[in-house]
């Protein structure tokens, strides 16, 4: 199998190089760019005090975030240029790569420990979080499996259980870091993909029951998880101990009221709220922009996630099933992270470190989110133009006229 660069990235066809110019799903692009812009503004505000103490420059975190944003937009452009058929062909290699990265991160001397967790691989001043890459690679591999074994998945127990031969060891590696949040998001997205792939209701219900039982056992297995669960029910009972983060987040929401205290005027970011620019950036946003700003942000997330699901639906109608499953899977990854992060910030879920897509400070998360956006834009373009087959040859004349059907 030849995997040279020419076969992976071709000048035609591509949604950013056509006879009509740029041909993208602009509503999806606009929604994600709005979240990226809002994220840059909120990172600048929420990290100013921490950056001033750690580096002497209040804009230090903002500059790093801007660098990651530029890299992410570059990754978005690159993924838009790669045919979806190529991702499908390389799915098994990506799965091997995901396992390799997750093994490397828990090896002493390679993985970098931060706040008691081995979740990062250090490259000089930058850290790479393999779990962010692994989640996407699992979605791509599972989408290929659902296409190859569609009948088996729908009709037999073996087709249903086979994916877990891969998913369970990967979940185990994530729990060894430990990264409970990434495990829940990955397994949730995989379950949703299996359901959309045609798994019967009885088998899906059984999977949900087993998943709930597994989560219960995992929570009880670690004292710190039990402490978080107990504190979550009444954070004010230990507001200066295990309930500190949640109580400070709730104070931020209370101070924000309807219209907020004003951009840059947050008090909670001044070392009252830990991880104000990462896991709890939404709390700072709520304090500075109020209920109105928070609801507008949630509306943007809902629009982007629903649009991603519609992209999957359009691909399925165009009989591009692999692309459809990838779109569904990536959308569910965003939905899972969004629900968990917002749930933690408002006190609906126990405290768990998980970034907010497009908004939180974190290089790996931001770059991967942008790459996923590029994949979704490519899927939408291929399904709309019906030019998704890598085997076909195209010339510039194929892109000379506007399509007669649009969205």
């Amino acid at each position: 199998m030849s995997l040279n660069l020419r076969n992976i990235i071709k000048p035609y066809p591509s949604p950013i190089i056509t006879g009509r110019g740029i041909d993208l799903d602009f509503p999806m692009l606009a929604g994600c760019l709005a979240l990226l812009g809002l994220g840059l503004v909120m990172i600048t505000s929420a990290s100013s005090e921490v950056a001033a103490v750690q580096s002497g420059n209040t804009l230090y975190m903002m500059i790093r975030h801007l660098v990651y944003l530029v890299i992410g937009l570059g990754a978005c452009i690159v993924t838009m240029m790669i045919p979806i058929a190529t991702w499908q062909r390389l799915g098994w290699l990506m799965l091997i790569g995901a396992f390799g990265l997750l093994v490397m991160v828990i090896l002493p001397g390679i993985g970098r420990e931060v706040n008691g967790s081995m979740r990062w691989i250090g490259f000089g001043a930058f850290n790479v979080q393999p779990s962010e890459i692994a989640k996407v690679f699992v979605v791509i591999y599972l989408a290929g499996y659902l296409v190859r074994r569609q009948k088996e998945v729908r009709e037999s127990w073996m087709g249903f259980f086979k994916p877990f031969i891969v998913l369970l060891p990967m979940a185990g590696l994530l729990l060894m870091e430990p990264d409970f949040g990434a495990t829940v998001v990955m397994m949730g997205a995989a379950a949703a993909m299996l359901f959309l792939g045609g798994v019967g209701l009885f088998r899906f219900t059984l999977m949900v029951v087993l998943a709930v039982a597994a989560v219960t056992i995992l929570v009880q297995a670690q004292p710190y998880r039990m402490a978080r669960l107990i504190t979550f029910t009444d954070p004010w009972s230990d507001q200066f101990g295990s309930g500190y983060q949640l109580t400070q987040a709730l104070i931020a929401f209370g101070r924000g009221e309807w219209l907020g205290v004003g951009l840059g005027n947050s008090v909670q970011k001044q070392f009252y709220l830990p991880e104000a620019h990462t896991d709890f950036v939404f709390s700072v946003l709520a304090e500075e922009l109020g209920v109105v700003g928070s609801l507008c942000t949630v509306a943007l997330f809902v629009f982007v996630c629903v649009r991603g699901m519609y992209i999957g639906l359009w691909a399925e109608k165009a009989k591009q099933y692999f692309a459809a499953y990838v779109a569904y899977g990536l959308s569910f990854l965003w939905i899972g992270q969004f629900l968990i992060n917002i749930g933690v910030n408002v006190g609906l879920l126990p405290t768990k470190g998980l970034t907010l897509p497009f908004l939180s400070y974190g290089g790996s998360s931001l770059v991967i989110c942008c790459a996923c956006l590029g994949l979704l834009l490519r899927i939408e373009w291929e399904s709309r133009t019906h030019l998704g087959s890598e085997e076909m040859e195209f010339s510039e004349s194929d892109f000379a006229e506007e399509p007669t059907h649009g969205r």
Side-chain angles (χ1 to χ4, degrees):
M1 181 185 297
S2 177
L3 300 179
N4 58 56
L5 186 61
R6 183 179 178 182
N7 288 334
I8 295 176
I9 301 178
K10 295 183 178 181
Y12 291 105
S14 169
I16 56 175
I17 308 175
T18 72
R20 300 184 302 272
I22 297 176
D23 184 18
L24 297 173
D25 180 10
F26 285 103
M28 182 66 166
L29 180 62
C32 291
L33 288 179
L35 286 173
L36 289 171
L38 179 61
L40 180 62
V41 172
M42 292 313 306
I43 294 302
T44 304
S45 175
S47 67
S48 58
E49 301 297 330
V50 175
V53 171
Q54 292 183 353
S55 67
N57 180 4
T58 58
L59 299 180
Y60 175 74
M61 298 291 188
M62 184 273 285
I63 294 171
R64 284 178 62 93
H65 188 78
L66 191 59
V67 170
Y68 286 126
L69 181 57
V70 171
I71 296 173
L73 293 176
C76 178
I77 293 172
V78 170
T79 53
M80 276 192 288
M81 296 175 66
I82 301 176
I84 298 302
T86 301
W87 295 102
Q88 184 174 5
R89 191 172 69 249
L90 301 182
W92 64 277
L93 287 177
M94 294 180 184
L95 182 68
I96 295 173
F99 271 108
L101 288 171
L102 292 180
V103 169
M104 288 175 60
V105 77
I106 60 177
L107 294 178
I110 298 179
R112 180 173 293 182
E113 184 175 349
V114 180
N115 295 331
S117 298
M118 296 279 286
R119 301 180 186 174
W120 294 268
I121 297 176
F123 293 94
F126 298 94
N127 292 328
V128 174
Q129 192 170 359
S131 61
E132 295 290 339
I133 303 172
K135 287 184 294 186
V136 177
F137 284 3
V138 165
V139 165
I140 292 173
Y141 174 80
L142 187 55
Y145 173 81
L146 290 173
V147 171
R148 293 192 306 271
R149 305 287 184 177
Q150 188 175 64
K151 184 177 180 180
E152 189 178 356
V153 169
R154 293 180 176 181
E155 298 179 0
S156 72
W157 283 93
M158 187 56 66
F160 168 69
F161 281 119
K162 278 182 181 179
F164 292 98
I165 298 174
V166 171
L167 292 173
L168 291 179
M170 188 161 290
L173 289 172
L174 287 171
L175 290 172
M176 289 176 67
E177 298 183 4
D179 195 344
F180 187 68
T183 306
V184 171
V185 170
M186 183 191 74
M187 296 301 286
M193 290 175 68
L194 285 169
F195 180 72
L196 293 175
V199 170
L201 185 60
F202 175 74
R203 280 174 286 168
F204 181 76
T205 303
L206 176 63
M207 177 173 57
V208 171
V209 171
L210 292 175
V212 171
V215 169
T216 303
I217 294 171
L218 289 171
V219 168
Q220 294 178 344
Q222 293 292 337
Y224 78 92
R225 290 180 187 144
M226 278 300 296
R228 285 181 177 180
L229 184 62
I230 294 171
T231 304
F232 149 73
T233 58
D234 184 15
W236 302 100
S237 63
D238 189 14
Q239 66 183 78
F240 296 109
S242 56
Y244 182 75
Q245 278 185 306
L246 180 52
T247 54
Q248 295 302 315
L250 294 176
I251 290 171
F253 277 91
R255 292 193 74 253
E257 298 184 349
W258 285 102
L259 298 177
V261 297
L263 192 62
N265 293 328
S266 169
V267 172
Q268 293 305 104
K269 70 180 181 182
Q270 299 179 12
F271 304 101
Y272 291 102
L273 179 61
E275 309 296 338
H277 59 297
T278 54
D279 301 339
F280 285 88
V281 68
F282 190 76
S283 296
V284 177
L285 184 149
E287 184 181 2
E288 296 187 349
L289 304 182
V291 172
V292 174
S294 301
L295 291 179
C296 288
T297 304
V298 170
L300 265 177
F301 272 112
V302 170
F303 170 77
V304 166
C305 293
V306 170
R307 189 76 178 182
M309 295 294 290
Y310 267 103
I311 288 174
L313 179 61
W314 295 330
E316 192 169 0
K317 287 182 177 179
K319 301 187 184 303
Q320 298 175 3
Y321 297 110
F322 172 78
Y325 292 135
V326 170
Y328 291 142
L330 296 180
S331 300
F332 279 118
L333 288 180
W334 288 354
I335 291 169
Q337 287 192 227
F338 164 69
L339 290 177
I340 292 176
N341 185 278
I342 300 294
V344 166
N345 274 257
V346 301
L348 292 176
L349 293 173
T351 303
K352 184 71 205 77
L354 203 64
T355 56
L356 188 59
F358 297 105
L359 245 69
S360 293
Y361 177 83
S364 298
S365 175
L366 185 64
V367 172
I368 293 300
C369 281
C370 291
C372 291
L373 170 61
L375 265 172
L376 287 170
L377 292 174
R378 176 81 192 196
I379 290 169
E380 189 277 337
W381 178 78
E382 288 194 3
S383 65
R384 173 164 47 85
T385 58
H386 298 281
L387 300 175
S389 174
E390 190 191 36
E391 306 302 323
M392 297 176 64
E393 295 292 336
F394 303 98
S395 64
E396 190 168 350
S397 61
D398 293 318
F399 306 89
E401 297 180 0
E402 292 289 342
T404 58
H405 55 288
R407 296 181 183 130

